[in-house]
Amino acid sequence: MTKTILNFILLAITLVLAQAVVFNHLILFNCAIALVFIYIIIILPLEASTNMLLTIGFLIGLIIDIFSDTAGLNSLSCTILSFLRNPIYHLYSPRDEEISGQRPSIKTMGNTSFMKYALTMSLIYCSIVFTIESVSLFNTVRLLTRIGGSTLFTFIMIYAFDSLSLSRREKKL
Amino acid sequence: MREIINYFIRNSKWLLFVFYITLSCLMLFQSNPYQHHLYMTSASAVASTVYSLSSNITSYFNLRENNEDLNRRNADLQAEVLAMREQLEKYQDSEQELSPIIPDSLRHYRFIVARVINNSVIRPHNYVTINRGSNSGIRPEMGVIDQNGVVGVVNVVGPNSARIISLLNPNFRLSCKIKNNETFGSLVWDGKDPKYAVLEELPRHTVYKKGDTIVTSGYSAVFPPGIPVGLVESDNSSHNENFFSLKIKLLSDFSTLNNVQVVINNYADEIKSVEESTAKEENENKPTSSNQ
C-alpha cells in the first residue's frame, strides 16, 4: 500500500514537472498543447473517495497554476474534472467488475474502453480550460481549433503513457 | 444537532466541491495582475528554481539566432555612435568648449541583464519569468527590453526572480509613437498571433507608410523614448471612426526570448513623488474651491 502511494506521488511530481518544463512549451501548429498532468486524475484508484479525488485534483491544478501563471484556471478545471471522473469511468466500464486496488488503465478496462474514457476526459478538460481562458478574448474558430487540437494531442500522450506502463509491467511478469 | 452533522457528512463531497470551486474562482477573477501574490506566481521560490534549472539547458538552443540579432543591433548602435560622435565634434568646433560629461550617478537610465527562465506565447494572458529579482535592484513596474525591442513590464518580484507582464498580454498597454512623426497611440495585443499587435487610438489624420517603425513614446517613466517596438504592417479598421488602429509586426520574437534587460529609471521615484504630491494637492484644493 505504502509502495503504491509512493509510486503515485513520484508519478505526480514527474508529470507536473514535465508539464511545466516541457509540455507547456511544446505547441503544435500554434494551437495544440498537451495537458499531460490530467493523467494523474485519470488513473487515480477507483476505491478513492470523491473527497479524496477532489482534493488531489484541486492541489494538482493549483501547482500547475503556480508554474504557468494562470491563477485559478487549472485548479477550477481540475476540480470539475475530478468530480466527473467516477461518473465518466462508469459510463464505459460496467460497475460489477470492480476489484479492490484497481485503477483505470488499458489492462483493467480493455483497449477500446480506455481509449473512449481517456478521450472523453481530455475533451472535457480541454473544453473547460480553453473556454474559461478565452472569456476575455472571444474568438469561436480559434477556441474550437484549440480545443480540438489540444484534446487530440493530450489523448495521444495519455494513451502513450499508459501503453508504456503496460509494456513495462508485462516485462516484469 | 446530530441530524445537521449527518447532513453535512452525507453531502460532504458537494460541500467540498463548492468550496474548491469558490476558492479557484476567487483566484481566477482577481483580474488585476499586480495583486497576484508572489507565492502564486512563477516567480515563487520553488517554481523559479525549477525553471532556472531547466533553462540552464534550454538557453543554449537559440544561441545562433540570438547572436545574429545581437550582431545586427551592435552594427546599428555602432553606426549611431559614429554619427553622434561626428555631430558632437561639429558642435564642439563651433562652440569651442567641451560639454560637461554627465557622471554615472546622474545618468537617466541603467540596464540590468537577466535571463528568461520561463515564457509563454499561446495563452490569452502571457507572462515571462526572469532570473533576477529584488536582490539585483528590480522592483515592480520597471520596463523590460531585449536586443530587438520592448518585452514587457515587471509585475511580481521575488528575491531572485521576477514575473513580467509580456507585451502579449491584454492587461498591458504601451504608449507608442510612429518614428519621425510624433503621433502617438497605445499598443495592445489582440490575443491572436504572437507576432502581431495593434496600435490603437491613433488620430484619423495620421500619416504612415507600410514598414514605418513604431517606437516607445517616453511619456511614462517606465521606458526611455525611442525604443523600437514594431513595424507597421497594415491598416486595421474602417476610417469611419475618429480614431483608427494599425496592425503592427512586433520586432521581438517572443517564442525565442533568451536574454533581456530591465530598465531602471534613476528618476522614477522622483517623478512618482512629484506626480503623487500634485495629485494630493489637487485633492486638497478641491473642497476649498467648492467652498468658495
Side-chain angles (χ1 to χ4, degrees):
Chain A
M1 189 63 194
T2 330
K3 205 186 157 201
T4 331
I5 292 174
L6 270 178
N7 265 341
F8 181 76
I9 291 173
L10 211 67
L11 178 74
I13 293 173
T14 319
L15 278 178
V16 168
L17 284 183
Q19 179 70 44
V21 174
V22 182
F23 288 101
N24 267 351
H25 304 273
L26 212 66
I27 301 155
L28 293 187
F29 313 116
N30 201 18
C31 70
I33 182 166
L35 303 162
V36 292
F37 58 94
I38 62 166
Y39 183 59
I40 308 166
I41 298 170
I42 285 180
I43 62 151
L44 276 173
L46 290 171
E47 56 192 5
S49 66
T50 313
N51 288 349
M52 181 90 161
L53 271 174
L54 283 172
T55 311
I56 293 175
F58 177 75
L59 287 178
I60 286 168
L62 193 68
I63 298 168
I64 292 289
D65 274 339
I66 290 173
F67 273 102
S68 46
D69 281 316
T70 49
L73 174 70
N74 284 301
S75 42
L76 177 64
S77 320
C78 274
T79 313
I80 298 173
L81 187 75
S82 42
F83 195 71
L84 296 175
R85 210 288 299 260
N86 283 342
I88 293 168
Y89 175 78
H90 291 306
L91 209 63
Y92 299 117
S93 177
R95 199 175 277 266
D96 48 308
E97 279 180 18
E98 271 180 35
I99 313 160
S100 71
Q102 201 184 34
R103 62 172 190 83
S105 70
I106 297 176
K107 201 180 161 202
T108 54
M109 288 178 81
N111 208 348
T112 336
S113 298
F114 183 78
M115 275 171 91
K116 284 186 203 158
Y117 168 64
L119 194 63
T120 317
M121 293 286 276
S122 315
L123 178 65
I124 289 176
Y125 193 78
C126 291
S127 310
I128 299 171
V129 164
F130 293 125
T131 312
I132 298 174
E133 212 178 38
S134 66
V135 166
S136 54
L137 298 161
F138 196 73
N139 182 335
T140 323
V141 181
R142 182 159 168 74
L143 177 66
L144 290 179
T145 49
R146 284 185 82 184
I147 291 177
S150 303
T151 305
L152 267 181
F153 194 13
T154 309
F155 166 69
I156 291 168
M157 290 318 295
I158 286 171
Y159 190 73
F161 281 145
D162 211 76
S163 307
L164 274 177
S165 61
L166 182 75
S167 60
R168 204 178 53 206
R169 235 174 290 134
E170 274 171 358
K171 260 181 210 163
K172 263 186 201 167
L173 289 174
Chain B
M1 189 63 201
R2 175 168 294 200
E3 264 184 39
I4 296 174
I5 293 170
N6 275 341
Y7 175 80
F8 278 126
I9 290 172
R10 222 174 326 119
N11 293 306
S12 64
K13 70 174 184 183
W14 286 101
L15 290 170
L16 204 66
F17 180 63
V18 171
F19 173 70
Y20 285 146
I21 294 282
T22 324
L23 213 62
S24 321
C25 285
L26 279 179
M27 286 188 281
L28 189 62
F29 294 113
Q30 195 173 50
S31 54
N32 186 350
Y34 285 98
Q35 287 164 3
H36 288 173
H37 198 278
L38 173 63
Y39 298 116
M40 286 293 145
T41 67
S42 57
S44 65
V46 180
S48 65
T49 315
V50 169
Y51 281 137
S52 44
L53 283 178
S54 76
S55 91
N56 279 342
I57 301 160
T58 53
S59 62
Y60 292 104
F61 290 172
N62 300 311
L63 274 189
R64 187 184 293 268
E65 288 87 356
N66 271 301
N67 208 10
E68 273 166 22
D69 282 346
L70 282 173
N71 277 333
R72 196 175 38 71
R73 179 81 179 140
N74 208 6
D76 289 351
L77 289 174
Q78 190 97 25
E80 208 175 313
V81 165
L82 287 175
M84 284 193 164
R85 203 172 280 164
E86 221 164 84
Q87 215 167 8
L88 190 68
E89 274 167 14
K90 214 172 74 188
Y91 285 129
Q92 275 174 359
D93 285 350
S94 64
E95 294 206 1
Q96 287 298 328
E97 62 177 347
L98 281 165
S99 53
I101 294 160
I102 305 168
D104 274 6
S105 57
L106 287 180
R107 245 191 257 151
H108 208 126
Y109 295 100
R110 277 193 302 130
F111 298 93
I112 294 177
V113 179
R115 201 176 70 218
V116 170
I117 54 175
N118 183 43
N119 180 18
S120 70
V121 293
I122 195 178
R123 297 172 194 288
H125 299 269
N126 294 298
Y127 295 95
V128 177
T129 320
I130 57 170
N131 69 340
R132 303 266 168 182
S134 53
N135 288 350
S136 313
I138 293 173
R139 269 170 304 178
E141 300 189 34
M142 282 177 170
V144 181
I145 59 176
D146 78 341
Q147 69 270 22
N148 296 317
V150 170
V151 171
V153 60
V154 177
N155 101 310
V156 179
V157 179
N160 284 309
S161 56
R163 186 178 76 164
I164 295 158
I165 300 186
S166 162
L167 198 55
L168 306 181
N169 191 323
N171 289 327
F172 178 42
R173 296 184 86 91
L174 179 67
S175 169
C176 292
K177 63 184 180 191
I178 300 174
K179 203 177 179 181
N180 307 327
N181 196 335
E182 302 301 317
T183 40
F184 68 95
S186 84
L187 188 86
V188 68
W189 189 52
D190 56 359
K192 285 171 193 156
D193 191 328
K195 288 189 179 69
Y196 298 96
V198 180
L199 185 63
E200 289 177 341
E201 295 165 19
L202 281 168
R204 218 178 132 183
H205 55 75
T206 311
V207 186
Y208 69 92
K209 294 198 298 288
K210 195 186 162 191
D212 274 352
T213 314
I214 304 295
V215 296
T216 52
S217 67
Y219 290 155
S220 69
V222 176
F223 290 104
I227 302 259
V229 179
L231 304 172
V232 175
E233 180 80 9
S234 62
D235 192 345
N236 211 11
S237 59
S238 62
H239 285 257
N240 300 330
E241 303 150 26
N242 283 334
F243 294 98
F244 77 108
S245 53
L246 294 175
K247 191 178 178 189
I248 306 296
K249 187 176 194 313
L250 295 173
L251 286 171
S252 302
D253 182 0
F254 282 84
S255 52
T256 59
L257 275 186
N258 202 345
N259 287 301
V260 294
Q261 289 127 43
V262 183
V263 183
I264 295 190
N265 185 347
N266 287 328
Y267 295 143
D269 291 339
E270 222 166 292
I271 293 170
K272 210 172 185 180
S273 69
V274 168
E275 278 173 356
E276 272 168 10
S277 64
T278 333
K280 218 177 184 181
E281 270 171 30
E282 273 170 11
N283 282 340
E284 280 168 2
N285 288 341
K286 256 180 202 164
T288 49
S289 60
S290 61
N291 286 342
Q292 279 162 3

